[in-house]
Amino acid sequence: MSAELERVYRENFKEIKPPLKPEEARLEASRCLYCYDAPCVRACPTHIDVPRFIKQIASDNLKGSAKTILEANPLGHSCARACPVEVLCEGACVYHEWQDHPIQIAKLQRRATDYLHELGGAGPFKPAPDNGHRVAVIGAGPAGISCAVYLRRLGYAVTIFEKEKVPGGLNTFGIAEYKMGRKVSLAEAKMAFALGVKLSSGKEVGKDILPRSLLEDFSAIFIATGLGSTQRLGVPGEDLPGVWEALAFIRHVKNRELSALGSSALTVVIGGGNTAIDAATQSKRIGTPRVVMAYRRSAAEMGAYGFEYELAKQDEAEFLWNSAPVRIIGRKKVEGVEFQKTRVKGGKLHLLPGSHFTIACDRVIKAIGQSQLRDLAQAMNFKLDKDGRIAVNPETLRTSVSKIFAGGDAINGGKEVVNAAADGKRAALAIHRFLMPAAELSPENRYWARTIESRPAEALHA
């Protein structure tokens, strides 16, 4: 890597939420009120016992704190960096009632899990004795890793099938570098593999591996494939050189492959969600002089979180509201985007006649959501819902095929890492009850099973 590229990443991609120093963490932990019916526990999709792990930090029991976190969420190390805590645990903190700033739960969580990873090894848990069942997990992203960890703790032989050469899914390839580096994601996956989870990487189920063979060789299957490529805009010029899918663009940035992206004087990002924000901010941080984020609706209707929007504004991204792309202009490469103004009437979006305008640019990034993966559904014969997502029982995450379960973005259309981790945990318990309905949970597994439903902290330990 050149000296200039090193400078760009050192100066522009440093963490936006740096870790707390040891004394800062102790002081912050001492602010917690250790609520009985803690709203932060209920707000977390994995229901981490937040008061307990914070109290353990206050008493300098960092290893115990990390164990509390990972009992409920094996992805706690990455969630401490990537979770939108402002609208989850920290957003629910009772300190908001006194107009005070909430407990910095994410940074305290990071303090504990960082400590555990610095110790190295397999982490605080051990697999149960082999129970004779084999489970296949398709996809080594957050949902797949979470499910595999809990299944190993229940004694199942687990193999994850991952089409990429390295695990982690969107944690490794799709989260902005200034939020979380890929080393964090890979370290988290490594801890799962230390439990005995096997990984078959670089091969895609449905192309390199026959789905039929998994159905025949494994007792159950958990599908955690995530979503497919970015949806098409459906406008002329979409296939011109210089038009990028947002996740492909972010992946190049994370891999420090800026030469593949080329330079840009003005980049237009099309979309209004958190991925669009990530693409816009990273475009600015790799040195693009002007970045315009265009959304077909108003700022109030934007899907991105408010704090993400503020970050993009701080990075001097520009915003274009109520503007829908109708054509990408160019001969041999992108030269501009033609837009048409919009308005919402009667709940529907309408293009305004005679309102066309053009923005000259040399790069376009599409961030309008990802498409569903349908090929696997056809090969394994399970049903999809009307939106093309895998249809599951909401309690068990079982599909229409009895031995197949699913979770993560493949069933929710694209939510947060913590939602995927919660799905993996729920599916693991459902698979266990499906394969071994008469088996009693061991004391080591009763606690995390209780965290599937939100309840007061004391009840978690009952």
Side-chain angles (χ1 to χ4, degrees):
M1 188 165 61
S2 69
E4 175 59 20
L5 191 58
E6 286 183 0
R7 183 195 64 78
V8 167
Y9 277 86
R10 183 175 62 253
E11 295 180 2
N12 298 342
F13 287 87
K14 58 185 178 183
E15 291 181 298
I16 57 175
K17 295 181 179 179
L20 293 172
K21 296 177 181 178
E23 186 57 32
E24 290 175 329
R26 281 192 291 270
L27 288 172
E28 185 65 14
S30 69
R31 292 180 59 234
C32 184
L33 301 175
Y34 313 123
C35 304
Y36 165 70
D37 189 7
C40 53
V41 176
R42 285 181 276 114
C44 173
T46 58
H47 308 309
I48 294 172
D49 191 343
V50 177
R52 185 185 187 205
F53 94 68
I54 291 179
K55 195 167 188 177
Q56 288 170 311
I57 291 175
S59 61
D60 205 29
N61 181 9
L62 293 177
K63 190 173 182 179
S65 178
K67 183 177 181 180
T68 298
I69 294 163
L70 298 182
E71 278 276 13
N73 183 358
L75 280 294
H77 193 46
S78 57
C79 283
R81 294 159 170 82
C83 251
V85 291
E86 294 86 347
V87 296
L88 293 174
C89 56
E90 291 184 18
C93 181
V94 297
Y95 270 104
H96 283 296
E97 297 178 16
W98 297 293
Q99 302 299 311
D100 201 347
H101 64 277
I103 302 298
Q104 297 180 72
I105 297 171
K107 287 191 174 183
L108 290 173
Q109 181 167 312
R110 175 176 175 174
R111 169 69 178 145
T113 60
D114 278 358
Y115 175 82
L116 187 68
H117 278 271
E118 287 168 5
L119 292 178
F125 309 116
K126 295 180 180 179
D130 183 23
N131 62 25
H133 287 288
R134 300 173 66 212
V135 178
V137 174
I138 305 176
I145 288 175
S146 174
C147 186
V149 165
Y150 289 114
L151 287 171
R152 282 298 297 144
R153 293 182 62 185
L154 289 164
Y156 292 88
V158 183
T159 301
I160 300 180
F161 296 89
E162 170 56 49
K163 67 178 181 179
E164 301 289 349
K165 293 182 179 180
V166 295
L170 284 181
N171 272 11
T172 299
F173 300 109
I175 293 179
E177 180 78 7
Y178 50 78
K179 294 179 183 177
M180 183 175 75
R182 62 185 295 173
K183 288 193 296 184
V184 173
S185 173
L186 296 178
E188 201 162 48
K190 183 178 179 181
M191 190 169 284
F193 300 134
L195 275 173
V197 175
K198 295 181 180 179
L199 176 66
S200 174
S201 61
K203 295 181 180 180
E204 185 174 355
V205 175
K207 292 184 179 179
D208 307 300
I209 299 170
L210 291 176
R212 184 178 64 252
S213 67
L214 300 186
L215 288 166
E216 293 172 351
D217 296 342
F218 291 87
S219 305
I221 297 171
F222 178 64
I223 299 175
T225 52
L227 296 171
S229 58
T230 301
Q231 295 177 12
R232 291 185 64 81
L233 292 168
V235 302
E238 187 171 2
D239 297 317
L240 282 168
V243 178
W244 288 87
E245 293 186 358
L247 291 178
F249 177 85
I250 292 171
R251 180 169 181 160
H252 278 295
V253 174
K254 284 184 74 75
N255 289 344
R256 288 159 167 72
E257 299 167 346
L258 301 190
S259 59
L261 298 174
S263 61
S264 172
L266 196 158
T267 292
V268 172
V269 179
I270 299 173
N274 294 312
T275 301
I277 293 285
D278 281 350
T281 54
Q282 292 198 77
S283 294
K284 287 293 294 185
R285 292 177 184 227
I286 63 173
T288 308
R290 286 190 65 195
V291 176
V292 177
M293 183 173 141
Y295 182 48
R296 59 181 180 156
R297 296 181 179 268
S298 67
E301 297 169 285
M302 175 176 58
Y305 296 124
F307 58 89
E308 298 275 13
Y309 177 38
E310 291 300 319
L311 176 63
K313 288 197 291 186
Q314 292 171 19
D315 281 354
E316 299 182 342
E318 303 170 37
F319 298 89
L320 188 62
W321 308 113
N322 294 105
S323 301
V326 295
R327 181 166 63 108
I328 297 176
I329 302 167
R331 294 184 179 180
K332 295 183 179 180
K333 62 177 184 177
V334 171
E335 297 174 12
V337 182
E338 181 181 341
F339 290 94
Q340 191 171 357
K341 298 301 290 184
T342 69
R343 70 175 177 184
V344 176
K345 187 175 181 180
K348 295 183 178 180
L349 191 72
H350 297 272
L351 297 173
L352 300 180
S355 62
H356 294 74
F357 65 97
T358 298
I359 294 181
C361 66
D362 50 17
R363 179 191 290 148
V364 174
I365 301 175
K366 301 183 298 179
I368 57 169
Q370 294 169 260
S371 60
Q372 301 292 339
L373 295 170
R374 298 175 181 271
D375 292 346
L376 201 58
Q378 293 176 350
M380 291 186 160
N381 202 33
F382 54 79
K383 294 180 181 179
L384 303 177
D385 65 17
K386 61 183 178 61
D387 296 316
R389 298 173 297 193
I390 300 175
V392 297
N393 179 305
E395 293 300 318
T396 64
L397 303 188
R398 183 190 282 183
T399 71
S400 58
V401 177
S402 62
K403 69 187 296 184
I404 300 178
F405 299 72
D409 288 354
I411 70 169
N412 64 39
K415 289 188 176 180
E416 306 296 339
V417 174
V418 68
N419 298 101
D423 282 354
K425 176 168 60 176
R426 182 178 294 276
L429 185 59
I431 290 169
H432 179 61
R433 287 173 173 165
F434 165 66
L435 294 177
M436 302 183 68
E440 290 288 335
L441 289 176
S442 66
E444 292 78 13
N445 287 306
R446 287 174 193 159
Y447 173 77
W448 68 258
R450 292 192 182 103
T451 66
I452 289 176
E453 300 298 340
S454 177
R455 60 189 67 199
E458 285 188 13
L460 292 175
H461 308 292

